[in-house]
Amino acid sequence: MQEFCTRTSNEPFDLILADYRLQGFTALDAWEHVAKLATPVPFVLLSGAIGEAAAVDAMRLGFSDYLLKDDISRLPHVVTRAIEVHQARQDRERAVAELAASQQRLAELTEHLQTSIEQERASIAREIHDDIGGALTAVRIDIAWIGRHAQEAAMQEHVASASDMLQHAIGASQRIMMNLRPPILEQGLVAAVQWLATGFERRNGIRTQVATSSEVIDVPADVRLVAYRTTQEALTNVAKYAQADKVNIELSDHEGVLTVEIADDGKGFEMAGLADKPKAFGLKGLHERARTVGGWLDVGSQPGKGTCLTLSVPLAAASQPSITGDVW
């Protein structure tokens, strides 16, 4: 037995063929050792002493095959088949491992991209505030000076028109900055979602209600950002596709899980084949964004019965942030 263990541990074998009863040990003893090897080896049991029931039990333990000595002519076929099955199993396990590694790399890439996107948004927002915002403010001061000193009616009319256009540009730049880098998030998730809902209702005329489990829901900054972006994207989809009259948003942190649910009473859609639809990329992005903080996304919809999107994030897992770097 010792020599068998030593050789099978140190030398490569394509297959092990063993009688049930060996000198000083049995095939079951040999199998216990082989099953622990880092690289498994197909093991075929050859016996004329045990019954078929015992042979079937051996197969359940993990033996590749068994062959009765009375049927020894089938040995080449049994050996070939055992090697082929073993190779197929190894190929399948390798493919599964490669798929898991690929999915992990995709998740890491998504996390990196989300972080980079938020950092770039913050950078652009700062440039708009510091450069464009500063320039627009300076122009407004100059136009106001011209207006105070202009005597001609035509000049006053042009000043008023320019002031209106300038005010429009300043408002647009502020809205862009709010979308790129929403400072409202610094006031907490509840305040940020309520601000989103108010703006959405004002722009689209769709009644929007927000219900929360408490006035303040304290979550890590990265989770707060994911919840905000998820709500923002969901509301954007409602405005584009849902043809809804009402949207309900619910926030809760019951039992250590942050839940954000956005439900509309719009036209809905068929869930079958959703993953293959070109327009599903937005939802795929939300799924990946949720995974960056250890959460998940559920989507439910039926034609004529609206759509419900739910983000769930266990806060215990989220206390170790996945998104690294300063996104603000």
Side-chain angles (χ1 to χ4, degrees):
M1 179 67 178
Q2 183 60 45
E3 182 181 358
F4 171 82
C5 293
T6 301
R7 293 194 62 183
T8 52
S9 297
N10 300 319
E11 300 177 27
F13 288 89
D14 294 326
L15 180 135
I16 295 174
L17 177 66
D19 199 343
Y20 183 81
R21 299 191 184 280
L22 304 167
Q23 186 174 357
F25 62 102
T26 68
L28 296 180
D29 299 322
W31 168 248
E32 288 184 5
H33 166 73
V34 170
K36 297 176 183 177
L37 294 177
T39 304
V41 181
F43 198 124
V44 175
L45 176 63
L46 177 64
S47 179
I50 64 172
E52 187 170 348
V56 171
D57 289 339
M59 292 286 292
R60 289 173 179 168
L61 289 175
F63 282 76
S64 301
D65 207 340
Y66 74 94
L67 181 66
L68 299 178
K69 291 182 179 179
D70 293 344
D71 199 16
I72 197 66
S73 62
R74 294 185 60 250
L75 180 59
H77 170 75
V78 170
V79 168
T80 300
R81 181 176 178 278
I83 293 175
E84 290 176 348
V85 170
H86 176 72
Q87 184 62 49
R89 183 181 295 112
Q90 284 190 315
D91 291 343
R92 184 171 61 252
E93 291 174 353
R94 188 180 303 110
V96 170
E98 290 175 355
L99 176 60
S102 177
Q103 291 174 332
Q104 179 61 31
R105 289 194 297 271
L106 176 61
E108 292 171 355
L109 175 60
T110 301
E111 180 179 341
H112 171 72
L113 290 176
Q114 294 293 354
T115 303
S116 299
I117 289 170
E118 293 299 339
Q119 290 173 339
E120 186 65 20
R121 282 174 169 170
S123 176
I124 294 172
R126 283 192 295 268
E127 290 185 17
I128 292 174
H129 179 272
D130 297 341
D131 296 338
I132 298 177
L136 290 175
T137 300
V139 172
R140 182 171 61 178
I141 293 173
D142 287 341
I143 289 180
W145 185 90
I146 293 172
R148 289 194 303 270
H149 292 82
Q151 301 298 324
E152 299 178 6
M155 180 66 74
Q156 290 285 354
E157 184 179 343
H158 281 292
V159 167
S161 176
S163 296
D164 290 342
M165 291 299 296
L166 183 60
Q167 189 58 45
H168 175 77
I170 291 174
S173 66
Q174 290 174 341
R175 288 194 301 273
I176 293 171
M177 284 189 294
M178 287 292 287
N179 286 329
L180 289 171
R181 180 181 179 269
I184 190 69
L185 272 175
E186 297 174 7
Q187 300 180 29
L189 179 59
V190 173
V193 170
Q194 288 175 335
W195 177 81
L196 272 178
T198 300
F200 173 81
E201 183 176 74
R202 183 179 63 253
R203 290 189 304 274
N204 299 283
I206 301 174
R207 189 156 49 100
T208 306
Q209 296 181 340
V210 178
T212 65
S213 59
S214 59
E215 293 184 1
V216 177
I217 296 179
D218 188 20
V219 296
D222 58 340
V223 176
R224 192 161 63 238
L225 182 60
V226 168
Y228 177 89
R229 293 299 187 198
T230 300
T231 306
Q232 186 180 45
E233 178 71 15
L235 291 176
T236 298
N237 287 339
V238 171
K240 285 182 177 180
Y241 310 117
Q243 300 176 11
D245 296 319
K246 181 180 178 182
V247 176
N248 289 325
I249 303 174
E250 294 186 10
L251 300 176
S252 75
D253 57 352
H254 291 311
E255 299 181 354
V257 177
L258 172 68
T259 302
V260 183
E261 181 178 286
I262 305 97
D264 67 71
D265 63 351
K267 65 179 183 178
F269 54 85
E270 289 283 357
M271 293 292 296
L274 176 63
D276 298 325
K277 295 180 179 178
K279 292 182 180 179
F281 282 120
L283 289 176
K284 292 176 183 176
L286 291 180
H287 278 284
E288 293 300 327
R289 187 188 284 272
R291 292 199 336 184
T292 63
V293 289
W296 61 90
L297 196 76
D298 294 311
V299 180
S301 185
Q302 292 184 33
K305 296 186 178 180
T307 301
C308 180
L309 183 148
T310 306
L311 170 70
S312 303
V313 182
L315 296 178
S319 63
Q320 300 294 332
S322 295
I323 298 179
T324 59
D326 181 11
V327 299
W328 299 106

